[in-house]
Amino acid sequence: MTMGAATPPTIDDRFENLIISPERVLEMLGKRKVGEVSFEQSEQGDARRLLLHVEKVAIENKRLQEKTEASYLESVSHHLHEILLGELTEQLSYTEELVQNVLNLPENIGELLDALSVKACSVSKLEPIVATMPWLYDELIVVVNTPQFRRKDSRGRIIVVETLRTALSFLGIENLRTLIPSLILKRAMPQITDPYPLIKQKLTHYSIGVALTAKRLASLSNLNKNQTYVLAIVSNLGRCAVTRLYFKLFDKIQLHLLQECQKDKEQKRHEALLKIAPSANHLIALQQEFADAVSADILEWMHFTRLPIAQPMRACADKQPAKVNTLSKILHQARAYAQIRMLHQLKLVDIKEVKPLFAEQNYPTGALEALKSTDIFTLPLVKSEDS
């Protein structure tokens, strides 16, 4: 959406740019590099329109017709992103390969989340499932040996935990219900996102914020807290997948096009390609178009038998009206709250802008006051003294 100078960017636009880089939001609000705002916003609008109309655009038509270097670079970038969109759309349709090869999650990840969700969950039931995931074993061993969970024997010597069963026992089931979904998200997080290195940090911050907000809201709405928490955490797997694929495909396609230029001796195009970097605006457009649908696809692929979170995620992806006191409504409310809280931390939103958005979400009575005093960005893990 292209906005006039007098129209402030929406909360949603601010948040999406915050995930990429806080500097971008400052620019949008006119606090830095004022002259660049309209270009950034118009490019973002172009990126969104590209998603809607790319099948009608001939890839080669505009390559060599622009008169200025800026428009020529834009033309080359447009060409690269048309190819990227085609490949990304295809890869997103193969959910099993996406989960296992892009997000690096095992095929029994749904079984693990199912096991965690039942009241009768126990160490003996979790151990054989977790044992099939060496990466998760390593993460749990690291956590259980941190000062927060460290224990001492009768002589005061620190007990170094090395076995999975001991780690699970020392951490305790309630901590594991909080910790394991967050470690699954950590596993799926994009790692290399240059030239936007803060994406992983901001997306992790946001995901935890949404999950803990959702859990608090669930307790005020008489919904299952653990189910709501897991839904909120894994609702961002689509964002992780789209982000990982975007940067992976950008590098791959850029290299391929550079090799083509060398072969065809197209020096001008070669030089333009070297100047093109991954586009925050295209990434934002891709997130808005695909992320929730991909999350819904992933949750349906997991084939839960006890965790009823696939349908609420699909309802969210399909933008169905959410009824009060449902998991999908809680997810909407938690996302809105976490986004505003993150923007408010950096003074990127005013209270007067927030009030109508809060009213629109129809939070449970007392929820906003309760959330105000809640740390929604730190996992509430508690040391258990039970062996």
Side-chain angles (χ1 to χ4, degrees), residues 183-297:
L183 293 176
I184 291 171
L185 180 79
K186 179 181 177 182
R187 175 75 170 176
M189 272 289 160
Q191 301 299 311
I192 300 173
T193 56
D194 295 334
Y196 307 107
L198 292 181
I199 289 178
K200 176 183 175 182
Q201 174 192 325
K202 293 296 182 185
L203 185 50
T204 300
H205 199 58
Y206 171 61
S207 301
I208 298 300
V210 174
L212 294 181
T213 300
K215 189 173 184 178
R216 190 76 179 93
L217 290 172
S219 67
L220 297 169
S221 304
N222 295 318
L223 294 174
N224 186 294
K225 293 187 294 184
N226 290 321
Q227 291 176 0
T228 311
Y229 171 82
V230 174
L231 168 62
I233 279 274
V234 297
S235 72
N236 283 300
L237 289 178
R239 277 186 181 268
C240 293
V242 170
T243 304
R244 276 180 174 262
L245 266 183
Y246 174 78
F247 285 97
K248 176 184 175 183
L249 290 173
F250 185 94
D251 289 344
K252 172 192 166 186
I253 294 165
Q254 185 182 44
L255 178 60
H256 173 72
L257 292 176
L258 284 168
Q259 290 170 339
E260 270 191 353
C261 290
Q262 286 182 317
K263 180 181 177 182
D264 298 337
K265 298 182 179 179
E266 293 186 75
Q267 184 177 352
K268 181 181 178 183
R269 190 162 170 247
H270 189 276
E271 291 174 355
L273 280 164
L274 288 173
K275 294 177 182 177
I276 293 172
S279 162
N281 295 306
H282 282 85
L283 178 56
I284 289 169
L286 290 166
Q287 294 286 8
Q288 293 175 330
E289 184 74 12
F290 296 116
D292 280 347
V294 171
S295 292
D297 290 344

Side-chain angles (χ1 to χ4, degrees), residues 71-244:
S71 60
Y72 182 70
L73 285 174
E74 186 179 341
S75 167
V76 174
S77 175
H78 179 85
H79 176 214
L80 185 154
H81 280 93
E82 282 186 309
I83 300 171
L84 186 151
L85 177 61
E87 291 200 25
L88 183 136
T89 304
E90 181 179 5
Q91 291 196 33
L92 290 179
S93 67
Y94 299 109
T95 305
E96 183 166 352
E97 288 80 0
L98 190 69
V99 173
Q100 297 185 38
N101 300 329
V102 176
L103 298 180
N104 298 318
L105 296 173
E107 61 182 352
N108 59 338
I109 202 73
E111 180 187 0
L112 175 60
L113 291 173
D114 251 345
L116 276 170
S117 72
V118 298
K119 288 184 179 180
C121 178
S122 64
V123 168
S124 60
K125 291 178 180 177
L126 287 178
E127 185 181 15
I129 307 174
V130 177
T132 66
M133 307 175 191
W135 59 272
L136 184 53
Y137 163 81
D138 291 342
E139 292 280 5
L140 292 172
I141 290 294
V142 168
V143 173
V144 80
N145 284 301
T146 57
Q148 182 179 359
F149 291 100
R150 194 173 290 158
R151 300 193 187 188
K152 295 180 180 180
D153 63 17
S154 58
R155 296 184 179 182
R157 295 175 299 190
I158 293 172
I159 300 173
V160 179
V161 178
E162 296 178 337
T163 68
L164 178 58
R165 175 170 283 269
T166 303
L168 294 172
S169 298
F170 277 21
L171 288 168
I173 295 300
E174 286 309 308
N175 279 329
L176 291 170
R177 285 191 170 118
T178 299
L179 182 60
I180 287 178
S182 75
L183 293 176
I184 291 171
L185 180 79
K186 179 181 177 182
R187 175 75 170 176
M189 272 289 160
Q191 301 299 311
I192 300 173
T193 56
D194 295 334
Y196 307 107
L198 292 181
I199 289 178
K200 176 183 175 182
Q201 174 192 325
K202 293 296 182 185
L203 185 50
T204 300
H205 199 58
Y206 171 61
S207 301
I208 298 300
V210 174
L212 294 181
T213 300
K215 189 173 184 178
R216 190 76 179 93
L217 290 172
S219 67
L220 297 169
S221 304
N222 295 318
L223 294 174
N224 186 294
K225 293 187 294 184
N226 290 321
Q227 291 176 0
T228 311
Y229 171 82
V230 174
L231 168 62
I233 279 274
V234 297
S235 72
N236 283 300
L237 289 178
R239 277 186 181 268
C240 293
V242 170
T243 304
R244 276 180 174 262

